[in-house]
Amino acid sequence: LAPDRDTLPAPSPSQPPRPGRTVRGYELRELVRDGPNEAVYRAYQPTMGREVAVTVIDPAVASEPEFIRTFDEAVRRIARLEHPHIVPIYDFWRDPGGGFIVSRWVPGLSLRAALERGPWRWDPTVATIQQVGDALASAHRKGIVHGHLTADDVVIDDESNSHLTGFELNLAP
């Protein structure tokens, strides 16, 4: 008998889950970003028939008392953001395997990857600045600061629209 994939032992703090594993019904398919405290996966949600992004926060970070105290409220505040250029959050939880945030999967390139391809024309540059600026202004009006915006936190979709992700989990007003 094969073990239930949802009951596999939690990964060690230094090692994110492997693609191919299912976590709470989300099938982790591809590791797309691996940072010092979190990993982001392209995943599949079979119950909805859609691709999603699953961010897995390192279990060592997710078990810190301050993180435990603020995680739920911080994610709820970010999830309430409604804007066409902010990636929506669908689900979240914390368990011994880490902190988990499920959001819409936006197929495309990070702004960093798009910039590495070479110079941009004026119109797409202005559109990206306007879309990201509008998204940030909308979040700020609701008392949410992004935290540490990088070119990896902006995804350019196949129709050249920009989508902001990667809000830090803080409760700064």
Side-chain angles (χ1 to χ4, degrees):
L1 250 174
D4 179 357
R5 295 174 70 150
D6 284 334
T7 61
L8 291 174
S12 72
S14 62
Q15 186 177 29
R18 294 175 310 280
R21 181 172 173 201
T22 297
V23 179
R24 280 222 184 157
Y26 299 98
E27 299 170 4
L28 305 181
R29 293 199 165 165
E30 175 188 6
L31 179 63
V32 294
R33 186 167 152 189
D34 190 11
N37 295 319
E38 66 184 30
V40 179
Y41 295 85
R42 181 180 59 83
Y44 184 70
Q45 183 182 19
T47 59
M48 299 299 283
R50 66 180 173 190
E51 286 192 312
V52 295
V54 176
T55 301
V56 180
I57 300 164
D58 187 311
V61 173
S63 64
E64 292 175 4
E66 182 68 9
F67 184 92
I68 293 168
R69 188 181 72 70
T70 62
F71 177 69
D72 287 2
E73 180 58 25
V75 176
R76 281 188 182 98
R77 287 184 67 200
I78 295 165
R80 285 192 293 265
L81 293 174
E82 295 286 338
H83 191 276
H85 298 290
I86 294 177
V87 176
I89 293 175
Y90 296 146
D91 193 8
F92 70 95
W93 69 93
R94 193 188 64 74
D95 65 25
F100 298 82
I101 301 171
V102 180
S103 58
R104 185 175 80 206
W105 172 254
V106 179
L109 293 173
S110 71
L111 178 57
R112 179 178 313 285
L115 290 170
E116 288 171 354
R117 288 184 162 188
W120 280 27
R121 292 186 7 252
W122 180 253
D123 290 345
T125 301
V126 170
T128 296
I129 291 168
Q130 286 176 332
Q131 291 173 351
V132 172
D134 287 348
L136 288 169
S138 177
H140 290 180
R141 282 191 298 275
K142 293 175 177 98
I144 300 186
V145 278
H146 187 279
H148 184 254
L149 180 62
T150 71
D152 290 320
D153 296 321
V154 177
V155 179
I156 313 293
D157 70 17
D158 298 334
E159 296 177 2
S160 299
N161 290 306
S162 299
H163 303 273
L164 185 59
T165 188
F167 282 84
E168 286 187 7
L169 298 175
N170 61 48
L171 292 171

